Amino acid sequence: GTAISLNSVEVSIPPDRNRKIGEVQWPSRMPPNPEKEFAVTEVAKIASERQAFDWFRKNRNSKRQVLIFVHGFNNTYADAVFRFAQIVHDSGTDAAPILFTWPSRGRVFDYLYDKESANYSRRALEDLILQAAKSPDVDDVTILAHSMGSWLAAEA
């Protein structure tokens, strides 16, 4: 689509004793087993700016930090959601996690498609970064980007 869509996604991560740190334990069947596999437990549409600010206030730390993750080439939405959840959990960060996804086709042979999709998404990422940086509720913005997401972040 041409419009930005905002969602709050809650992910359940298995206890550390049941998983390999640094890896995503993908569900083998539906519904997933939260004791052994990553699982999405809730998805809620954020329909207004007020809801976005309410989410941030609920999830911010005392330093008012935001961590924006931009996924890379050949990543589906699910890949990005679970990988970012894993990164946030395993790093122990308490910054408010914001995932910026762009429409990757998620196939290894579609590099050019992904490059164009990343380029198309540049303005949306730029707007997100500017909104976070200008917000009186945010004191620190960190951008973590991977692969083609790094190119996109540099362009934005």
Side-chain angles (χ1 to χ4, degrees), residues 60-77:
R60 72 178 174 190
N61 62 16
S62 62
K63 296 177 185 174
R64 299 156 46 126
Q65 297 168 309
V66 168
L67 174 62
I68 299 172
F69 178 62
V70 185
H71 69 82
F73 161 69
N74 189 26
N75 278 204
T76 65
Y77 181 75

Side-chain angles (χ1 to χ4, degrees), residues 51-101:
Q51 285 180 317
F53 285 124
D54 289 345
W55 176 91
F56 177 72
R57 288 183 188 107
K58 177 183 166 194
N59 290 282
R60 72 178 174 190
N61 62 16
S62 62
K63 296 177 185 174
R64 299 156 46 126
Q65 297 168 309
V66 168
L67 174 62
I68 299 172
F69 178 62
V70 185
H71 69 82
F73 161 69
N74 189 26
N75 278 204
T76 65
Y77 181 75
D79 293 335
V81 166
F82 281 173
R83 178 58 62 195
F84 189 38
Q86 175 267 310
I87 289 169
V88 168
H89 178 81
D90 290 350
S91 70
T93 186
D94 64 347
I98 298 175
L99 171 62
F100 180 86
T101 62

